[in-house]
Each structure stands twice: as structure tokens, then as C-alpha cells.
């Protein structure tokens, strides 16, 4: 069976590469990658939440996930201190909640949850946000500092689904709903 080779665009058709990959260039390129939106939460004396899209599953056995948090974020210290956290996977209608927990000017501590219905996770005490599609409770098992972020790996010790529906997306620097 003969098949024609795949047609390759001439080099002149490709946009030129940037001479150096600056933070702005990387942010612009990565904005083209659609991600789901989560809210990370920590319970106890360091009650805190943060909107995050740098989140992924790592392994099914043992069940584990990762999230990436900037060194200067309040969540970095809260998560490190607590050693346990929850991940709330947001639904397409939860953009206001995502914006709330992404707002660096919001009131911190327990007050940031004043108008947000939630229940404490059975295993971590971390807030599980009402209306989320699903949630995970995690035990912090590893932390890898790299550049200006730390990659936190959590072993999943509890998981569940709240609601049916589509997830909230983030692409091109803005929130989006699946088509």
C-alpha cells in the first residue's frame, strides 16, 4: 500500500519563534491551552481558598493529583502548614465563585467564605464548595519547588461528585463554557 507523504508547510508559512521565552511569551502561548477551573481549599486554622487551573491527576495507583502554587501566594503557606487540602472542580455556572477566590483584594481567612455555601470535608476539614461538580480531599505527600512555584502532590483520601453538568474552562485569558 503506497501512501503519499504528509504535506509539510514551508518554513516561511510558520510564524517566527521568539528569540527568548520570557514570562510574557510563555503566558501568551500557554493561554491557548484550555484548562478546567478548580478552587483549592485548606481547612482548620489556616482556612483559605484559591482559584487554580494548574491542576492535574498524577497517578491512579496510588490515587494522586498535583497543583502548582506560586511561592508568594497565601495558599502556599496555608497548604504547607495544613498538610491537607481539597480540590473543588467548578461547574460552568460557577464563574462568579472562581472570580471571587481569584481576587487578590478579597478579605482573607474565614470571612472569604461568608457568602459561599460549603461543608467541611470529612477527612481534611477543607471546604467543599456547594454547587461544584466534584471534589477531592488530599493528604500532602510531596512538594517540589521549581522556579517561582511549588508543585504540590496530594494522595487522594476522599472523592465525590456533587452535581451533573459541564465544567468551567479557562482559555485565552478568560473563562469559558463548553460548546
Amino acid at each position: 500500500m503506497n501512501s503519499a507523504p504528509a504535506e509539510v508547510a514551508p518554513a516561511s508559512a510558520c510564524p517566527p519563534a521568539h528569540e527568548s521565552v520570557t514570562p510574557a511569551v510563555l503566558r501568551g502561548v500557554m493561554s491557548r491551552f484550555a484548562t478546567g477551573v478548580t478552587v483549592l481549599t485548606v481547612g482548620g486554622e489556616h482556612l483559605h481558598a484559591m482559584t487554580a487551573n494548574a491542576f492535574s491527576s498524577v497517578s491512579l495507583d496510588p490515587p494522586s493529583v498535583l497543583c502548582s502554587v506560586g511561592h508568594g501566594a497565601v495558599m502556599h503557606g496555608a497548604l504547607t502548614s495544613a498538610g491537607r487540602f481539597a480540590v473543588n472542580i467548578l461547574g460552568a455556572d460557577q464563574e462568579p465563585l472562581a472570580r471571587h477566590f481569584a481576587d487578590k483584594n478579597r478579605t482573607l481567612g474565614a470571612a472569604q467564605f461568608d457568602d459561599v455555601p460549603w461543608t467541611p470535608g470529612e477527612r481534611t476539614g477543607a471546604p467543599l464548595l456547594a454547587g461544584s461538580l466534584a471534589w477531592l480531599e488530599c493528604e500532602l505527600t510531596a512538594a517540589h519547588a521549581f522556579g517561582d512555584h511549588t508543585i504540590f502532590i496530594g494522595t487522594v483520601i476522599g472523592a465525590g461528585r456533587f452535581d451533573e453538568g459541564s465544567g468551567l474552562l479557562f482559555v485565552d485569558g478568560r473563562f469559558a463554557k463548553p460548546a
Side-chain angles (χ1 to χ4, degrees), residues 73-97:
V74 173
M75 179 56 80
H76 193 281
L79 202 156
T80 301
S81 295
R84 293 175 168 220
F85 62 100
V87 180
N88 296 271
I89 299 171
L90 298 189
D93 62 342
Q94 291 185 296
E95 180 179 338
L97 192 62

Side-chain angles (χ1 to χ4, degrees), residues 20-32:
S20 67
V21 180
T22 65
V25 168
L26 183 59
R27 183 181 302 267
V29 169
M30 292 306 297
S31 76
R32 304 298 299 171

Side-chain angles (χ1 to χ4, degrees), residues 110-164:
Q112 69 188 296
F113 294 95
D114 282 353
D115 296 323
V116 178
W118 63 279
T119 57
E122 185 178 309
R123 293 182 173 89
T124 63
L128 304 179
L129 306 177
S132 296
L133 295 178
W135 54 269
L136 302 159
E137 287 189 275
C138 303
E139 183 82 39
L140 181 60
T141 51
H144 303 281
F146 188 83
D148 58 359
H149 278 63
T150 296
I151 300 163
F152 292 102
I153 298 176
T155 300
V156 179
I157 56 175
R161 296 174 63 141
F162 278 130
D163 289 328
E164 295 298 319

